[in-house]
Structure formats: C-alpha cells, structure tokens
Amino acid sequence: AANAGGGGGSAASPSGAAAAAAANGGGLGGAGVPAFKAAMAAALKEFFNSADVQEVAARLLELGQPGLHPLFVKQVVTLAMDRRDREREMASGLLSELHPRVISDDQMVSGFTRLLSAADDLVLDIPDAVHLLSLFLGRAVVDEVLPPSFLASCLPSLPDGSLGITVVQATGARLSQRHAAERLQTCWHGGGLSLEDVRRQMRDALDEFTVAGSSSEVAAVLQDLGVPHFHHELVKAAVEQGFEYPDKAAQLAGLLRQLSERGVVSSTQMVQGLQRIKDSMADKTLDAPGAPAAFDKLLAQAAAEGWLPAEMAA
C-alpha cells in the first residue's frame, strides 16, 4: 500500500507473548472479542486526538489477535463515519499505514466485507452511510489497501438487494470517472481542496519557512490541511527546493529532520518522498547538475542525525 499517516513509523514484530495470545485467542469467536473491541475503541479515541499511528500499531501487536483485525477495520471506518472529515481522512490514512505490515490483505478484505454486510444496519444510525462507505471503499482501492478485484469478488457474499451491493455499485461508478484517483485521495476535505491546492499550500509554507525559519508554522499548515497521506509531497518539494537554491539546502534538511522527530511526517511518508526524488534523479540533473551530490549529502546528513528511514539507508 501507499502508506501514510501522521506519526507513523516502522511497526515492530509481535512479541513471543503476543504470538502465544494470537494462537490462543486469535479466532473471530470467544470471550476475547469484547475485550479486543474495547481496547481498540480506546486506542482509536486517543488516535483521533494524537494522530499517532505507531501507537495504534503497537496496541494491535500487543493484543496479539490477528484473527480479530477484520473487526478493527470495521471499527475504524464505523467510528470515523460518525465524525468529521478530519477523522475520516485520519482513518483512511491509518488503514493505509497499517497495511500490510500489521493488517494483512486477507484481514483488510474481510474487514471491508463485514462493513458492506452491515450497511443496512449502519444507515439506521448514519443516514449518509451509503455515500460515506462508497468513499471509504474507493479510497481504499486507490490507496492499494484493497485490490480493484474486491469490488467483484465481494458481491457473492452480499444479499441481493442489500445496501452493500448499492455501495459497491456506487464505488465502481466513482472509480470509473475521470481523475477518480485524485478526487478520492482528497475526498475527505469539505473545502474541496484539489491535489494542486494542497501542493501549492505546501510550497507556500516552504517559501515562508526559508524566510521566517519556523518549522512550527510548517507543522501547523500540515495539520490544517489534514492530508497525512500526502506528506511525501512536502518532502519532495523541500528537497527539490534545496536543489534549486543550494544555500537553503541545509535549512530545508533541518526542517525535514524536525518534522520527522516530532512525528509530523511519518517514516513511510519520508521514504516515499525521498524515493520519488531518487527515482527521478536523471530528470533532476538536467536542471540542477549538482542534484545527485546534494541528495547524497542530504542522505548522509539524515543518517548522521538519526532520522534517515532504514529503507533509504539500505
């Protein structure tokens, strides 16, 4: 998946105790279900305040019941549906961040299938449930949390005439529209921000930073935008600006370090942004011949300061 989410980092492997717990209570039945749901409800309540993806990942691994992860997927979306667009964006980003390191393909598929099966019940409490579910489902496909084939493969498990089928049909129609991916990636923004609007605001924040030097202002802009899934855009833009203005490169590298250390930009978003620069280096060299050397210097600095993601250090 194209991972994202505020405060995320590499999830640790389950401990021996967690693995034992999974063996003893990992099924979808049994007394462990109420305790699991209560624990994750508390974790999600905290997540919607802190945006700390890593804490949710750690809690899931600590509980050690991967067989219950489909219930968690359903729980994340159900709770977010009844909140604001900010929390809905956070929920989409959380699922993307947790997949596939913590929540497997099969668990994610099972969780969304459960959501669709529950659509007729959800609409009783959330009148807009069909529309919201179609956005969550389409976003999951765009984020590669679910395979496109899910829309067809889930249908046999849904009753004829159910709202779950309506959701699937609405999602299919949404995904077939022009610019569907871009629209779904910004679907949780009531102000109607386009991807270009997001990029422009990030570039403006970087321009302001190079003048005023306040990383807190950049962090505030990112929080207001509410798009943790797109923080790789800011990483990429910051590095590119350093190529264009070499005298600002060290200052911009310092900004990335601070955003990383504060958990504003997650490890996965940092990797994605840096990898995009690396993959397009041949083109960058045409406009900035010093770009390769500057990029190597940035990576060396990041490694020395301890914020270079392990994936980039390899």
Side-chain angles (χ1 to χ4, degrees), residues 1-4 89 92-93 95-96 99 112 134-151 171-188 195 229-230 232 272:
N3 295 330
E89 172 62 34
S92 289
L95 293 178
S96 182
H99 173 267
F112 271 91
S134 74
L135 290 175
F136 269 111
L137 182 55
R139 174 67 179 269
V141 172
V142 168
D143 286 350
E144 299 180 1
V145 167
L146 290 171
S149 60
F150 174 78
L151 296 182
T171 305
R174 196 180 298 278
L175 286 167
S176 67
Q177 295 173 350
R178 289 187 62 194
H179 308 300
E182 180 173 326
R183 290 184 180 185
L184 283 163
Q185 284 171 332
T186 56
C187 66
W188 299 126
L195 182 53
H229 189 65
F230 285 131
H232 60 85
Q272 191 171 348

Side-chain angles (χ1 to χ4, degrees), residues 80-241:
M81 283 170 61
D82 207 23
R83 290 177 175 246
R84 299 167 300 170
D85 280 351
R86 173 183 176 273
E87 286 83 7
R88 293 165 186 162
E89 172 62 34
M90 291 173 71
S92 289
L94 176 64
L95 293 178
S96 182
E97 184 81 25
L98 294 175
H99 173 267
R101 295 173 301 149
V102 178
I103 300 178
S104 70
D105 292 341
D106 289 345
Q107 292 160 357
M108 197 67 75
V109 164
S110 178
F112 271 91
T113 301
R114 285 170 171 269
L115 270 168
L116 294 171
S117 298
D120 291 277
D121 293 327
L122 288 172
V123 79
L124 300 176
D125 296 319
I126 307 171
D128 205 19
V130 170
H131 173 68
L132 294 173
L133 281 174
S134 74
L135 290 175
F136 269 111
L137 182 55
R139 174 67 179 269
V141 172
V142 168
D143 286 350
E144 299 180 1
V145 167
L146 290 171
S149 60
F150 174 78
L151 296 182
S153 64
C154 71
L155 288 176
S157 64
L158 302 174
D160 289 341
S162 68
L163 286 180
I165 290 180
T166 303
V167 171
V168 172
Q169 292 170 338
T171 305
R174 196 180 298 278
L175 286 167
S176 67
Q177 295 173 350
R178 289 187 62 194
H179 308 300
E182 180 173 326
R183 290 184 180 185
L184 283 163
Q185 284 171 332
T186 56
C187 66
W188 299 126
H189 306 292
L193 283 178
S194 69
L195 182 53
E196 189 49 47
D197 289 332
V198 171
R199 286 174 174 149
R200 178 180 51 76
Q201 291 195 36
M202 288 181 174
R203 288 194 297 266
D204 289 348
L206 289 173
D207 289 341
E208 180 65 24
F209 169 76
T210 58
V211 174
S214 174
S215 61
S216 296
E217 285 299 317
V218 179
V221 169
L222 291 179
Q223 183 172 0
D224 288 344
L225 284 172
V227 288
H229 189 65
F230 285 131
H231 287 177
H232 60 85
E233 290 283 353
L234 181 118
V235 175
K236 178 175 178 284
V239 176
E240 288 175 338
Q241 195 168 118

